[in-house]
Amino acid sequence: MAKRARAVRWGVPVAAVAVVAAAVGTGPVIAAVRSDPSLPDRTAEQLLADVARTWQNGRMPQMSGTIVETASLGLPALPGLSGLSGPGGSSGASPTSLLSGSHQLKIWYAGEDRFRLMLPGEMSETDLVADGGTVWLWNSAANKATRLTVPAAPEGGHGGGHGGGHGSAFPMRPGAASPFATPEQAARQALQAAGTDTAISVGDVVTVAGRAAYQLVLTPKSGDSLIKDVRVALDGEKLMPLRVQVYTKGAAEPVFEVGFESLSFTAPAPENFSFTPPPGAKVEQGTATPPPDHRPEALAEAHDRGRVVGSGWDSVLVTSLPDVPAQDVPARQQDGKGRDGMDVTALLDGLKGAATPVSGEWGSGRLLRTKVVSILITDDGRLLAGAVTPEALYRAAGVKG
């Protein structure tokens, strides 16, 4: 597992409703400079094989740069999302704030156990700094530094780092330091999800962060998918993902993209990995082990009622709406809010208010459509969501599970 836990692998942004996160205004800020850079011709099969070998090797080049994420998912303004905090309680980008606008992440990477991630916020920043066996999470807004203990590798597992025995090269849970997706993580998810229902081709050579890049284009074959294509830009020399863009049908600009704005494949200066809590800062001890309910699919898992209807691009997530009596809800949720401050009750009410009444052989409910996701809340207490047409949701609603 160590080789799969790279320093630049985090989860995709959490969607406005936890169960919507499984589905995938403003224009992109990572402009692809169209030019005619010279790269050897590669077929899609050759590029996929090259990328697989690069990932199997497991060695990422030393680098520093700035990643920009831009999203315009078309979700309406909803109650229940105010007051959400960023990583570590910071005032930086929270998971739901990444659903619109542009956000920045700076990275310095010298090895599996020597890296720094910096997430700027408004008049604040959150840093994750790893230097050998020492890992710090710094939240300037709260003036708090947390020294993180990395759990040991499981019995028979592989140690991470350079013989440090840390259990994994990057033991942080998705979202611990940043709710960002990175080009590497987004590319892995896109390529792993591409199956027989996907046409894969090579697009025009583009320039990203000043570097010539191949472009793999993943096109769903399904007519029910709202996704037109996913474009993965691969560095022409390093074959490392530089940018991932998601386009929906009928849209000229990507609804989501994450990519390098600047990038240098040189060794970062050692001082980038040195951290000492400033005088007066609150210092705590923490662990890198994730709480089990912090993943985007946590709502469905927590109620043990979530299931997926369909497969590939046509996947529809079906889950029951929360209906646990207040006296049975844990204390931290008795106010109707989740761990990140999301007011679930107000959010669901807002979704229903923004949706349109619909009915059919499957029953009745309310439908909310955006550029990239369709959400159906049925009158019998179910929520269905997917990057699919409403007709696909209706079919899924008619499937008895």
Side-chain angles (χ1 to χ4, degrees):
M1 292 295 295
K3 294 302 182 185
R4 299 188 60 193
R6 294 284 151 216
V8 290
R9 297 186 65 225
W10 309 285
V12 295
V14 181
V17 190
V19 294
V20 180
V24 257
T26 57
V29 298
I30 311 168
V33 181
R34 296 304 301 270
S35 61
D36 294 313
S38 177
L39 288 177
D41 289 339
R42 291 279 198 280
T43 65
E45 292 79 7
Q46 289 172 328
L47 284 174
L48 289 171
D50 289 340
V51 172
R53 281 192 295 269
T54 300
W55 284 343
Q56 187 175 20
N57 181 2
R59 293 186 179 275
M60 291 194 59
Q62 294 186 332
M63 67 178 125
S64 59
T66 299
I67 297 172
V68 174
E69 180 185 90
T70 302
S72 178
L73 304 185
L75 288 168
L78 295 169
L81 299 181
S82 60
L84 296 181
S85 60
S90 72
S91 58
S94 69
T96 51
S97 75
L98 298 178
L99 295 171
S100 62
S102 298
H103 305 273
Q104 193 178 85
L105 177 73
K106 295 182 179 295
I107 176 174
W108 296 260
Y109 182 79
E112 294 176 349
D113 56 358
R114 296 192 73 227
F115 55 85
R116 177 185 173 193
L117 316 174
M118 194 268 278
L119 181 66
E122 186 176 352
M123 304 299 290
S124 66
E125 67 178 65
T126 301
D127 292 78
L128 180 71
V129 184
D131 188 6
T134 304
V135 181
W136 286 97
L137 180 62
W138 165 242
N139 177 356
S140 69
N143 196 28
K144 183 174 71 174
T146 305
R147 182 165 182 166
L148 298 170
T149 300
V150 180
E155 188 69 25
H158 300 287
H162 302 284
H166 297 310
S168 69
F170 185 66
M172 309 304 299
R173 60 175 164 82
S178 169
F180 254 73
T182 65
E184 166 114 355
Q185 172 69 7
R188 283 180 182 266
Q189 292 189 345
L191 292 176
Q192 289 171 359
T196 57
D197 59 347
T198 307
I200 304 179
S201 60
V202 179
D204 295 336
V205 172
V206 294
T207 302
V208 179
R211 298 187 61 86
Y214 295 104
Q215 193 164 220
L216 279 173
V217 182
L218 315 179
T219 305
K221 296 179 182 179
S222 167
D224 284 326
S225 175
L226 297 179
I227 303 299
K228 175 187 176 184
D229 58 49
V230 178
R231 306 176 192 181
V232 180
L234 301 170
D235 186 85
E237 177 188 357
K238 306 290 186 180
L239 294 174
M240 184 185 89
L242 298 181
R243 185 187 63 199
V244 175
Q245 297 174 306
V246 178
Y247 284 81
T248 55
K249 295 174 181 177
E253 302 289 352
V255 294
F256 173 80
E257 73 172 291
V258 57
F260 282 96
E261 183 181 59
S262 63
L263 177 63
S264 173
F265 288 109
T266 57
E271 53 264 29
N272 286 305
F273 313 112
S274 176
F275 177 79
T276 301
K282 181 180 180 181
V283 179
E284 296 181 345
Q285 188 72 30
T287 177
T289 304
D293 60 344
H294 201 84
R295 299 184 308 279
E297 66 273 26
L299 183 58
E301 292 181 355
H303 294 289
D304 195 27
R305 292 178 288 197
R307 59 190 176 94
V308 175
V309 176
S311 61
W313 302 99
D314 293 340
S315 298
V316 173
L317 184 63
V318 184
T319 186
S320 299
L321 295 175
D323 59 358
V324 181
Q327 62 267 26
D328 296 331
V329 178
R332 64 179 177 85
Q333 297 180 352
Q334 286 182 1
D335 58 357
K337 297 183 179 180
R339 181 183 295 270
D340 292 321
M342 180 184 295
D343 190 332
V344 178
T345 300
L347 183 56
L348 290 174
D349 288 343
L351 281 172
K352 292 177 181 178
T356 302
V358 290
S359 62
E361 294 182 0
W362 51 270
S364 60
R366 303 187 74 86
L367 174 72
L368 177 65
R369 300 183 63 175
T370 75
K371 292 181 291 184
V372 70
V373 66
S374 299
I375 303 170
L376 176 64
I377 301 176
T378 66
D379 291 339
D380 60 7
R382 293 175 293 161
L383 188 149
L384 298 88
V388 295
T389 61
E391 290 71 26
L393 289 189
Y394 302 152
R395 288 196 298 271
V399 176
K400 302 302 180 182

